[in-house]
Amino acid sequence: MTGLRQPDESSAIADQNRPETGYEHIDDDVCRSFQRSVEIVGKKWNAAVLLAAMRGARRFVEYRARIPGISNHLLSQRLRELEGHQLIERIVVPTTPVQITYRPTEQGAGLMRVLHPLVEWSVKNEA
């Protein structure tokens, strides 16, 4: 006998139930907050609109040009939703005709800075 013990089934199950390092401090309230944030970004077209904003789109037509496949209706809807979440700011310039521009808020830019590694990951792992 070498003194080595074969891992039993119960210790293997206990190992599977341990939280991943760095995640053990996350409580249920934080999980719910995280879920809401992920759902905002994960909604179809939202991430593309935010990325277009970070890449310099300001006018509606610029967003359309940078987001192939999105309809005018959906783009309008997503801009309004992101404005409601305070991620995009709508600016009305009182000219004739009235000019409307959009830009990321500091909160929206902060979110995109956090998501930038995901952009890099997606390029590296594109199938």
Side-chain angles (χ1 to χ4, degrees):
M1 188 99 162
T2 63
L4 292 178
R5 204 177 106 214
Q6 289 286 40
D8 63 2
E9 194 172 312
S10 64
S11 67
I13 290 172
D15 286 344
Q16 291 174 355
N17 291 333
R18 285 197 185 104
E20 191 73 29
T21 302
Y23 294 89
E24 52 284 311
H25 69 282
I26 298 174
D27 63 18
D28 290 342
D29 289 337
V30 172
C31 286
R32 283 188 286 278
S33 176
F34 171 74
Q35 183 66 32
R36 283 189 299 271
S37 298
V38 167
E39 287 174 1
I40 291 167
V41 175
K43 190 170 187 177
K44 189 166 185 173
W45 302 110
N46 279 357
V49 172
L50 285 169
L51 187 56
M54 293 301 291
R55 294 179 57 221
R58 295 297 175 259
R59 306 282 313 272
F60 190 89
V61 294
E62 294 170 347
Y63 281 90
R64 278 294 312 264
R66 291 178 190 239
I67 309 170
I70 193 168
S71 69
N72 287 342
H73 175 75
L74 265 175
L75 178 55
S76 293
Q77 187 177 29
R78 295 304 182 253
L79 285 166
R80 279 192 305 273
E81 288 174 7
L82 292 170
E83 181 184 7
H85 291 296
Q86 299 176 342
L87 299 173
I88 294 282
E89 179 181 15
R90 182 179 189 258
I91 302 158
V92 179
V93 182
T95 58
T96 305
V98 172
Q99 187 178 31
I100 298 172
T101 61
Y102 302 89
R103 68 175 181 206
T105 62
E106 186 53 44
Q107 188 176 346
L111 175 60
M112 287 307 294
R113 283 191 291 274
V114 170
L115 292 175
H116 193 262
L118 181 58
V119 174
E120 294 172 341
W121 180 90
S122 68
V123 170
K124 187 169 63 173
N125 293 287
E126 188 173 0

